[in-house]
């Protein structure tokens, strides 16, 4: 009798990635067929090949050339990262102070609720009035969108510290600062990082919205320009670049999270702001 | 004991918790007891009799409503460096290594680092955790984590060790082993230990004196002096003499009715 048992296909390690690849290839084929024989016009849905060409064209330009993707990509990415950083510092900082001071929390909370209830994208035109058509208004929008998920998740993290951990410190006569520094802050890190992971996605969203509303450079501006000349393939190409950028940003945050919050198995999902 | 020679005197300690409606909950109705220097005292009683509240007051975590605590004749309030606390769960910080965890009290209390580190290594060896100092808590079993927690409670060399069901979360075999181990640590370090437990055999095995509590509101029903010589072997728990004590305590508790 042979002792080998065949592993079912479903449990092979390559099963899931293989299905993923097949799914993408099939999707492209359906897309190609729809455009070639389905009677869908080019300006609605361009050929996959046309998108590919637009992508190569856009990416092969010099970063100093206004028609190059890089020219706009650098601007949008810079805005995203700046907005994220400011949002992170403000969000974690405010959450820490709110968690430690009931008075401060009571004063700030009404504003948090109001701003949170507001569809924040609606503020974008106001930022253009306040900060003009330059990077300042874009960063302001990116910061505004990044701030809330970071603030709310961090606040949750700071205020839900395991009581036993605090009691260990209390029994040692620890000062408030020591309790914060040695217990509350590290305890909050898993939730802070859940917030940061959402924050970076929202920062990118904020940058793009600001660019739609009023700016001179950026991927959002590029999309509007391409749209005005019905260069649908070009719009698709920009979307591909944005998706790739988003993927890289999210992956970087996840790797950072796994490094810093190494004791948490399986990353937590954040509360959406 | 007259009281003046007591290491720790607890005088008429009460604790009431305010509730939203109705009369406040009486968690502790006025309890007095003494701990002598080097004594091992165990407290047994049903759930909700206030023994955890008592321990948290002694540890300075909970403020009593009234009553007094005296350490070596001096009135004390709040947390004291002379106390070390072990909780039911190990409560180690998962982001710190075992060594960093046991050194946390030294850091908080501002003790000299090198001396603390040396004593940490010595204590870790005492509880059989040498070579585990660089591991993280999640890499250790529950019993090993609790041993690390005991080391943490001893690192600042407190005179009194307060333990709230320290082995309650462990399986029966590990628990027995930890009891023998704790006796060994106690004999090596000669701390005064106040240990709360649900387990009557654990109390009789470990204690010089067992304090038996009534159900809520918890009062001291009776105290049993346990005369067995040390070091006590786990075989002791199978003897008739040992059984006499556990049976007497159980009968006393059973007579109170409801055991939580």
């Amino acid at each position: 009798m042979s002792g080998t048992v065949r592993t079912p296909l479903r449990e092979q390690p390559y099963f899931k990635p293989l299905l993923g690849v097949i799914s993408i290839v099939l999707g492209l084929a359906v897309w190609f067929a729809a455009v070639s024989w389905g009677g869908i016009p080019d300006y609605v849905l361009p050929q996959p090949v046309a998108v590919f060409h637009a992508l190569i064209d856009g990416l092969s330009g010099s970063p100093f050339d206004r028609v190059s993707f890089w020219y706009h990509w650098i601007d949008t990415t810079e805005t995203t990262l700046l907005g994220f950083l400011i949002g992170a510092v403000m969000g974690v900082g405010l959450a820490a102070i709110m968690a430690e001071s009931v008075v401060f929390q009571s004063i700030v909370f009404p504003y948090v609720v109001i701003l949170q209830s507001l569809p924040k994208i609606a503020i974008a035109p106001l930022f253009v009035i306040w900060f003009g058509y330059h990077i300042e208004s874009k960063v302001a929008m990116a910061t505004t969108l990044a701030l809330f998920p970071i603030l709310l998740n961090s606040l949750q993290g700071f205020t839900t510290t395991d009581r036993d951990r605090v009691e260990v410190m209390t029994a040692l006569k620890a000062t408030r600062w020591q309790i914060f520094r040695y217990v509350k802050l590290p305890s909050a890190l898993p939730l802070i990082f859940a917030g940061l992971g959402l924050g970076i996605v929202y920062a990118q969203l904020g940058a793009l919205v600001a660019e739609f509303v009023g700016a001179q450079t950026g991927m959002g501006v590029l999309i509007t320009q391409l749209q005005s000349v019905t260069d649908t393939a070009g719009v698709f190409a920009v979307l591909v670049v944005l998706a790739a950028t988003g993927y890289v940003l999210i992956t970087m945050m996840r790797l950072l999270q796994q490094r810093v919050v190494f004791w948490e198995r399986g990353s937590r999902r954040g509360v959406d702001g | 004991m007259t009281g003046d020679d007591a290491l720790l005197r607890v005088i008429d300690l009460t604790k009431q918790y305010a509730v939203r409606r109705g009369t406040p909950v009486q968690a502790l109705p006025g309890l007095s007891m003494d701990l002598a220097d080097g004594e091992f005292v165990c407290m047994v009683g049903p759930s909700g009799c206030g023994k955890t509240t008592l321990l948290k007051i002694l540890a300075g975590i909970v403020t009593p409503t009234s009553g007094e605590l005296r350490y070596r004749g001096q009135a004390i309030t709040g947390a004291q460096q002379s106390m070390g606390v072990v909780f039911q769960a190990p409560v180690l910080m998962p982001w710190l290594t075992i060594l960093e965890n046991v050194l946390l009290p030294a850091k908080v209390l501002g003790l000299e680092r090198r001396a603390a580190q040396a004593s940490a290594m010595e204590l870790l060896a005492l509880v059989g955790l040498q070579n585990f100092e660089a591991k993280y808590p999640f890499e250790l079993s529950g019993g090993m984590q609790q041993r690390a927690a005991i080391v943490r409670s001893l690192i600042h060399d407190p005179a009194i060790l307060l333990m709230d069901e320290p082995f309650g979360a462990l399986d029966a075999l590990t628990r027995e082993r930890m009891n023998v181990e704790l006796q060994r640590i106690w004999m090596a370090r000669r701390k005064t230990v106040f240990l709360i437990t649900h387990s009557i055999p654990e109390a009789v095995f470990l204690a010089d004196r067992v304090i038996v509590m009534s159900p809520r509101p918890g009062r001291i029903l009776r105290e049993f002096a346990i005369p067995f010589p040390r070091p006590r072997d786990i075989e002791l728990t199978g003897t008739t003499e040992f059984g006499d004590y556990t049976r007497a305590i159980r009968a006393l508790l059973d007579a109170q009715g409801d055991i939580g």
Side-chain angles (χ1 to χ4, degrees), chain A residues 25-26 38 52 58 79 88 100 131-133 140 147 156 182 185 190 193 218 227 230 233 243 261 269:
Chain A
V25 170
L26 227 79
F52 185 71
T79 306
E100 287 298 306
F131 303 114
Y133 289 87
L147 178 66
Q156 173 109 20
Y182 295 137
L185 179 62
F193 268 91
Q227 175 218 15
T230 340
V261 195
R269 295 282 307 271

Side-chain angles (χ1 to χ4, degrees), chain B residues 38-44 179 182-183 186 193-195 197 199-211 224-230 232 236 242 245 249:
Chain B
E39 194 182 19
F40 200 128
V41 177
C42 287
M43 180 176 269
V44 291
N179 282 340
L182 177 60
Q183 176 184 239
W186 173 73
V193 179
F194 179 66
L195 184 146
T197 179
S199 162
I200 297 168
E202 180 171 273
V204 175
F205 178 77
L206 284 170
D208 295 322
R209 183 155 59 98
V210 177
I211 300 175
F224 292 82
I226 311 294
F228 302 118
R230 305 207 189 242
R232 296 172 186 167
L236 173 71
F242 188 88
Y245 280 99
I249 295 171

Side-chain angles (χ1 to χ4, degrees), chain A residues 162-175 178 181-184 186-187 262-265, chain B residues 56 59-61 79-81 83 85 87 89 91-95 104-105 107-109 136 138 152 156:
Chain A
D162 187 5
R163 215 177 59 185
D164 291 351
R165 288 181 188 169
V166 177
E167 285 185 351
V168 167
M169 298 295 281
T170 311
L172 290 165
K173 273 173 116 166
T175 62
Q178 284 176 324
R181 165 75 187 77
Y182 295 137
V183 172
K184 287 191 178 175
S187 293
F262 60 90
W263 64 90
E264 281 274 305
R265 302 274 164 99
Chain B
K56 285 191 174 173
I61 296 165
Q80 303 293 322
Q81 199 169 331
M83 314 262 181
V85 188
F87 299 88
V91 203
L92 300 172
M93 310 302 163
W95 53 87
L104 187 62
K107 217 171 183 177
V108 171
L109 294 165
Y136 284 93
F138 58 81
R152 181 180 60 190
H156 55 293

Side-chain angles (χ1 to χ4, degrees), chain B residues 116-127:
Chain B
Q117 186 141 353
S119 109
M121 296 309 280
E122 191 188 320
L123 282 165
L124 284 171
L126 178 70
V127 302

Side-chain angles (χ1 to χ4, degrees), chain B residues 126-171:
Chain B
L126 178 70
V127 302
L129 282 181
Q130 61 274 44
N131 306 326
F132 285 94
E133 68 271 5
K135 297 258 187 244
Y136 284 93
F138 58 81
E139 299 174 284
L140 268 60
S141 69
M144 290 166 99
Q145 287 187 30
Q146 195 57 297
R147 277 186 255 176
I150 293 172
V151 171
R152 181 180 60 190
S153 73
L154 291 171
I155 193 71
H156 55 293
D157 200 25
I160 303 174
L161 193 55
L162 304 168
M163 307 180 96
D164 187 3
E165 295 199 47
F167 311 127
L170 303 177
D171 64 86

Side-chain angles (χ1 to χ4, degrees), chain A residues 159-224:
Chain A
T159 50
T160 54
T161 317
D162 187 5
R163 215 177 59 185
D164 291 351
R165 288 181 188 169
V166 177
E167 285 185 351
V168 167
M169 298 295 281
T170 311
L172 290 165
K173 273 173 116 166
T175 62
R176 218 165 133 181
W177 166 246
Q178 284 176 324
I179 294 177
F180 180 82
R181 165 75 187 77
Y182 295 137
V183 172
K184 287 191 178 175
L185 179 62
S187 293
L189 280 176
L191 272 166
I192 290 175
F193 268 91
L196 293 177
L198 287 167
I200 197 136
V201 176
Y202 276 78
Q204 195 192 23
L205 187 64
L208 280 165
V209 166
E211 286 163 1
F212 283 155
V213 173
Q216 286 157 341
T217 47
M219 297 299 261
V221 173
L222 193 57
I223 290 178
T224 330

